[in-house]
């Protein structure tokens, strides 16, 4: 159990506390801590969400059930294999594209 009086209010805070104080082998991703990057995505109590945005109810005595994302292969603990995601992301080319062809290494200026 985690002493919530010595921990931040988010699930990610509790995971970091567990890793630092109880189980240094626990593996999970984290980055921005603001719900922007999505790297801390996991399944919490049967719902997919971000650990950095998931509040822990301090009044509840029930333990949270935390799993890796259910639709992805697991590398270790709560870390999913993102290689398929990145392949699909690259295939749709989700960036601005110009009809104008520029020489290699020339910056595309925007106004």
């Amino acid at each position: 159990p985690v002493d919530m009086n010595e921990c931040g209010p988010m699930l990610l805070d509790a995971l970091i506390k567990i890793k630092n104080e109880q189980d240094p082998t626990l593996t999970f991703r984290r980055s921005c801590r603001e719900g922007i990057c999505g790297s801390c995505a996991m399944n919490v109590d049967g719902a997919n969400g971000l650990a950095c945005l998931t509040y822990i109810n301090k009044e509840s005595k029930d333990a949270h059930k935390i799993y890796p994302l259910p639709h992805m292969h697991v590398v270790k603990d709560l870390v999913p294999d993102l290689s398929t995601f990145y392949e699909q992301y690259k295939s749709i080319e989700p960036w601005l594209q110009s009809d104008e062809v520029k020489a290699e290494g020339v910056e595309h200026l925007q106004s």
Side-chain angles (χ1 to χ4, degrees), residues 5-82:
N5 295 320
E6 297 179 5
C7 182
M10 302 302 198
L11 179 61
L12 184 59
D13 297 321
L15 289 171
I16 292 170
K17 186 168 181 63
I18 290 168
K19 183 173 181 70
N20 289 341
E21 298 177 6
Q22 297 176 20
D23 183 2
T25 67
L26 178 63
T27 306
F28 54 92
R29 284 194 178 106
R30 67 197 190 287
S31 186
C32 74
R33 297 183 61 103
E34 297 178 5
I36 304 297
C37 71
S39 65
C40 63
M42 54 191 69
N43 185 285
V44 182
D45 296 328
N48 295 340
L50 300 178
C52 66
L53 296 180
T54 303
Y55 285 100
I56 298 176
N57 183 357
K58 290 185 179 186
E59 308 303 320
S60 175
K61 300 297 181 196
D62 297 331
H64 286 282
K65 294 179 181 175
I66 305 168
Y67 300 98
L69 292 173
H71 59 284
M72 303 180 93
H73 296 287
V74 176
V75 175
K76 183 179 178 192
D77 296 336
L78 299 171
V79 178
D81 180 5
L82 296 176

